[in-house]
Amino acid sequence: MKNRIIHYTEGDTAPVLALNLNKDITGAAVKFVIDYPTKLEKSATIMAAATGDLEIAWAAGDLRKGKHACQIEIAAADGTVQTIGGMYLQVEAKI
């Protein structure tokens, strides 16, 4: 997922962000973290753990104008944590 830019418009709540991690995340907790001045952490809904399919649902106010670094944090059942970075959230202003 390195150098991936995800595009949205400020204030939107749809569509959900669907991601595939191409790894088994059975038993893991997964967060999507956005580097706003006050970090935003969104819990992922795991759609298919064996293949790493997940979704991030947006709430009002989650998507803020600008280009923001973001990461996926995977907390495995055994207590280990893996962080996947190199992604950016590009949110354009609503006209």
Side-chain angles (χ1 to χ4, degrees):
M1 291 200 191
K2 295 286 184 187
N3 299 316
R4 179 172 179 185
I5 299 176
I6 303 160
H7 296 271
Y8 278 97
T9 301
E10 183 178 31
D12 284 359
T13 56
V16 299
L17 174 58
L19 297 170
N20 176 273
L21 303 179
N22 292 314
K23 66 181 286 165
D24 188 346
I25 54 173
T26 299
V30 181
K31 294 188 296 189
F32 187 78
V33 182
I34 304 171
D35 188 24
Y36 291 143
T38 300
K39 181 171 59 172
L40 178 65
E41 296 183 358
K42 301 289 294 182
S43 293
T45 300
I46 297 173
M47 307 306 287
T51 56
D53 291 314
L54 55 92
E55 290 184 349
I56 310 298
W58 305 112
D62 281 351
L63 298 172
R64 304 175 200 158
K65 184 178 84 168
K67 184 176 182 179
H68 311 281
C70 48
Q71 298 177 331
I72 297 170
E73 293 181 5
I74 306 164
D78 66 3
T80 58
V81 177
Q82 178 185 8
T83 302
I84 301 170
M87 295 174 288
Y88 293 89
L89 184 65
Q90 179 70 53
V91 182
E92 65 181 63
K94 190 168 287 263
I95 298 175

